């Protein structure tokens, strides 16, 4: 039976029995910050089990995509080396929310597993476990299935008791195991035949019995005199296996768990007390990969139709046959990781150096390394993702929708790592060849920081070579870097937060008095209030107001400025700071003599014109975010922003620069949304209600029970900033540039309102001046420029012809020395045309052997050029290596082809010194 048929069969079985089919949730848990990824079928129902979320149904069935590759549940290092571990897998599940309980859950599972119309496994192959205290479940298994006592095993909490956390819903488990070595004495109906058998029909399989839902088999299985169920053929009683032998065989892999039934019937208190739940529930899960292996007669999940096509494609890509033994582990890793990468990218996870993105990057780089071991030096996962989409796109349409994006991001990440992996592997070789069997924390960090090697990859390589890694030292070095980054960010933020004169002598020390300041700036630009506390030092003051209209910098929006006025003085507000007792304004006394006793009435006024500019830019980031996700894909997520009066800056996850046509479309669509003049609606509501409304939330951030939801047309986000009243107040939106911030993070800058108008006016003025310079009317400027470009191309072509015909570059000339049997020519050149110098190098190399040319460029910032004859290149002596050694003497660096390379001089005044030392550098270079 193919895996696609198993998926559909499972869902159909349970929908026929009153379950609502629910689509798989995202691999990124929507409202559970405790999880890195969705790792079980019950995750999307967690709030329902806790009674926090009511659904329109009491029974559900799903095929849930899951990832276990980070955090508490991490199977990454076992993947490829075992038969069952995967980073990505599919969990078949059926759930009851206070409806049916143990009897029906057991009956459903047994019927689906043994019925000829479904999986059709012989009952003789099956064994069952229960929690050793769950006598009710043991008796139900015997009653419903006919299993004898000696095939039901009682296990402890570690195996057969489940709980959601240290406290809360929990309960015993019951599992179904298949004996993989069982062979019938007579032919038994095989699952492959069951796939083509007529589907069961008729009424629902449940009926009221003694106030409980009980299973009514559609085709009652025959029973032996001993009460044991059988499917067909002559019943053969399985051997009696003691519990310790069962556990040993399960551990060894002979008995394979394919189904787990969790009976949530208790509420665990902090002291460990178990109180029965008023509405016991059921959470069951069955691994699709394991079931497929059993039904397809394979001893490994990797040899089913879920993986073999990917393994075969990987074999084609690397040009090597697949070995089903340990030697084939790299192929299995590639197949598994291609699935995980495809689904994580489709669900909006983007490669980065933190959180989920870091796990994705680790998976990608682990795959690159295994492809490298197979001799592959080109992207491998990218083409494999196409195979994943072909296999699974029908069941998961999000893969098809993101096909191009998935392949492109995978390719770019692979190419980026391929550029550095060789250097990292060479460095590890150096360490181990030198006799060391231990990688220090500093070295592990250098491999991570310089070559992009995740520390776990370094650890894997070290283990393969019999070595170890100082993980504690690595963490210490990493923390030092983080601390430096935090300090740098703090310094940058402090500088950005100082809009004018610093409040001398006040610093960050404030006087905290009873009473907290209340922010009233959402609805008020000015307010009559009073002073809660104050502090002064010269002209600088710090004031905490009872009610403050001044917004304090948060979420990328800068602080307000303005003034505070009393009958005796006036303070110019330059900045607002956060404190535990509310915002504190900092400013300068610009009139009168300051005295700020508590309770003094004052008027606080925000600089309204500046506030309106900020609001325009902040609201524009919401519209921009929406349009970016519409145009580029739902992987786009805000990574940071800066909202100032003069501009906005927006960072977001994306893999490549935006082409001009898309930029123009994005600008146009943001403007169209603005011109729709949507009202900006702001509401406070419970966090789950906001998510249900479709609000964008960033799950790395912490949210309270109640959140502020900002809606403007199609954009819905959680946000605490200030905004325009309607989108029409943006007036005009203009993109001002784009760039890269980090791997996988792009940045755009934009202007709104008056700033956008001024920018467009400035462009118009420059176009007018350009037209006047080339003596053309503005509407004829493009045609004139095209004519000038064509004329220049003709002239450049004529110059090239003259050079070829007789005005070719002169020979290198210069000084010729013998260095260890190699002819070294050194010369200076006044040319700064690299093509021309390249022609000199080519002429030098023609007909020569065992020779090196070094040219020192005198023009501009100076340069060094190196040409090497082919025989030296074949011997491993490359021009790029030599040019970097020579250029380093003047603080420069560069690169190029093995035969010819160039480098900047760094400090041109040191070129003479570099020339003098070149013979000794060449001598060292020849030694290798």
């Amino acid at each position: 039976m193919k895996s696609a048929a198993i998926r559909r069969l499972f869902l159909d079985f349970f929908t026929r029995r009153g379950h609502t089919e629910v689509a798989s949730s995202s691999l990124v848990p929507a409202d559970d910050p405790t999880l890195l990824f969705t790792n079980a079928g019950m995750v999307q129902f967690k709030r329902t089990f806790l009674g926090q979320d009511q659904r329109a149904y009491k029974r559900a069935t799903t095929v849930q995509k899951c990832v276990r590759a980070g955090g508490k549940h991490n199977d990454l290092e076992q993947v490829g080396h075992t038969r069952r571990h995967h980073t990505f897998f599919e969990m078949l599940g059926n759930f009851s929310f206070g409806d049916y309980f143990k009897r029906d859950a057991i009956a459903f599972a047994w019927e689906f597993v043994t019925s000829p119309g479904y999986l059709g496994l012989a009952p003789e192959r099956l064994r069952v476990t229960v929690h050793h205290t769950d006598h009710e479940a043991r008796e139900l298994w015997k009653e419903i299935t006919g299993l004898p006592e000696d095939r039901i095993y009682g296990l402890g909490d570690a195996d057969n008791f489940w709980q959601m956390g240290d406290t809360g819903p929990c309960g015993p488990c019951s599992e179904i195991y298949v004996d993989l070595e069982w062979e019938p004495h007579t032919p038994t109906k095989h699952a492959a035949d069951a796939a083509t058998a007529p589907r069961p029909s008729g009424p629902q399989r449940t009926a009221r019995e003694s106030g409980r839902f009980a299973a009514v088999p559609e085709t009652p299985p025959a029973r032996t005199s001993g009460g044991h169920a059988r499917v067909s053929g002559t019943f053969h009683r399985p051997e009696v296996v003691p519990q310790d032998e069962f556990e040993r065989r399960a551990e060894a892999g002979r008995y394979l768990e394919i189904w787990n039934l969790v009976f949530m019937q208790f509420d665990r208190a902090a002291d460990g007390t178990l109180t029965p739940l008023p509405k016991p529930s059921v959470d069951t899960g069955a691994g699709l990969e394991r079931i497929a292996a059993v039904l397809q007669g394979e001893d490994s999940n990797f040899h089913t139709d879920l993986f073999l096509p990917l393994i075969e494609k990987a074999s084609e890509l690397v040009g090597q046959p697949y070995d089903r033994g340990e030697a084939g582990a790299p192929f299995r890793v590639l197949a598994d990781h291609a699935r995980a990468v495809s689904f994580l990218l489709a669900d909006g996870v983007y490669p980065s150096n933190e959180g989920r993105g870091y796990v994705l990057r680790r998976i990608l780089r682990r795959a690159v390394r295994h492809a490298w071991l197979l001799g592959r030096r080109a992207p491998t996962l990218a083409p494999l993702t196409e195979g994943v989409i072909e296999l699974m796109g029908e069941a998961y349409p999000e893969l098809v929708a993101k096909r191009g994006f998935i392949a492109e991001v995978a390719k770019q990440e692979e190419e980026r790592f391929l550029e550095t992996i060789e250097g990292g592997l060479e460095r590890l070789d150096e360490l181990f060849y030198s006799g060391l069997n231990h990688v220090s924390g500093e070295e592990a960090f250098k491999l991570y920081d310089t070559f992009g090697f995740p520390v776990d990859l370094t650890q894997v390589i070290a283990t393969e070579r019999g070595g170890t890694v100082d993980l504690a030292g690595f963490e210490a070095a990493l923390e030092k870097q983080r601390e430096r980054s935090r300090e740098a960010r703090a310094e940058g933020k402090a500088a950005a937060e100082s809009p004018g004169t610093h409040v001398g002598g006040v610093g960050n020390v404030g006087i905290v008095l009873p009473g907290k300041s209340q922010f009233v700036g959402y609805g008020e630009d000015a307010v009559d209030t009073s002073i809660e506390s104050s502090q002064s030092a010269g002209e600088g003051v710090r004031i905490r107001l009872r009610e403050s209209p001044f917004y304090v910098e948060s979420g990328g929006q800068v602080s307000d400025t303005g003034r505070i006025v009393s009958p005796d003085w006036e303070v110019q507000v330059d900045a607002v700071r956060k404190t535990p007792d509310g915002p504190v304004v900092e400013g300068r006394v610009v009139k009168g003599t300051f005295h700020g006793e508590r309770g003094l009435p004052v008027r606080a006024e925000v600089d309204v014109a500046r506030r309106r500019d900020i609001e325009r830019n902040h609201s524009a980031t919401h519209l921009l975010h929406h349009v970016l996700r519409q145009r580029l894909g739902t992987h786009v997520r805000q990574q940071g922003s800066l909202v100032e009066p003069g501009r906005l800056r927006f960072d977001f996850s994306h893999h490549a620069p935006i082409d001009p046509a898309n930029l123009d479309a994005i600008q146009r669509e943001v403007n169209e949304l603005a011109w729709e003049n949507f009202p900006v609606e702001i509401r406070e509501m419970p966090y789950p209600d906001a998510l249900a409304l479709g609000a964008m939330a960033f799950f790395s951030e912490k949210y309270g029970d109640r959140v502020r939801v900002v809606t403007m047309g199609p954009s819905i986000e959680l946000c605490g900033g200030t905004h325009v009243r309607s989108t029409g107040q943006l007036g005009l939106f203009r993109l001002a540039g784009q760039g890269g911030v980090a791997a996988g993070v792009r940045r755009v800058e934009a202007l709104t309102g008056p700033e956008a108008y001024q920018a467009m006016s400035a462009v118009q003025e420059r176009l007018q001046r350009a037209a006047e310079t080339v003596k053309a009317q503005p509407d004829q400027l493009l045609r004139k420029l095209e004519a000038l470009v064509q004329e220049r191309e003709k002239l450049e072509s004529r110059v090239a012809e003259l050079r070829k015909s007789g005005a070719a570059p002169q020979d290198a000339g210069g000084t010729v020395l013998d260095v260890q049997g190699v002819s070294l020519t050194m010369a200076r050149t006044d040319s700064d045309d690299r093509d021309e110098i390249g022609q000199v190098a080519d002429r030098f190399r023609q007909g020569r052997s065992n020779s090196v040319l070094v040219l020192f460029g005198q023009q501009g910032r100076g340069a060094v050029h190196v040409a090497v004859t082919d025989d030296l290149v074949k011997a491993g002596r490359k021009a790029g290596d030599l040019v970097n050694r020579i250029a380093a003497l003047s603080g420069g660096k560069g690169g190029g082809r093995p035969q010819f390379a160039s480098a900047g001089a760094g400090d041109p005044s040191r070129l003479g010194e570099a020339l003098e030392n070149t013979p000794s550098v060449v001598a060292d270079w020849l030694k290798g």
Side-chain angles (χ1 to χ4, degrees), residues 18-20 55-60 95-100 279:
H19 293 66
T20 296
R55 296 186 178 243
Y57 45 83
K58 293 185 177 181
R59 301 181 178 195
F95 308 89
S96 165
F97 311 117
D99 187 8
Y100 63 83
K279 292 184 178 181

Side-chain angles (χ1 to χ4, degrees), residues 663-700:
L663 271 179
D664 184 66
I666 290 165
Q667 179 172 269
R668 183 184 67 252
E669 290 176 21
V670 173
N671 275 304
E672 287 172 352
L673 289 174
W675 299 334
E676 285 285 339
N677 202 26
F678 291 111
V680 176
E681 301 175 357
I682 299 176
R683 292 172 285 173
E684 285 194 2
M685 62 181 65
Y687 179 58
D689 293 352
L691 294 180
L693 191 64
M696 283 288 295
F698 308 105
F699 304 116
S700 60

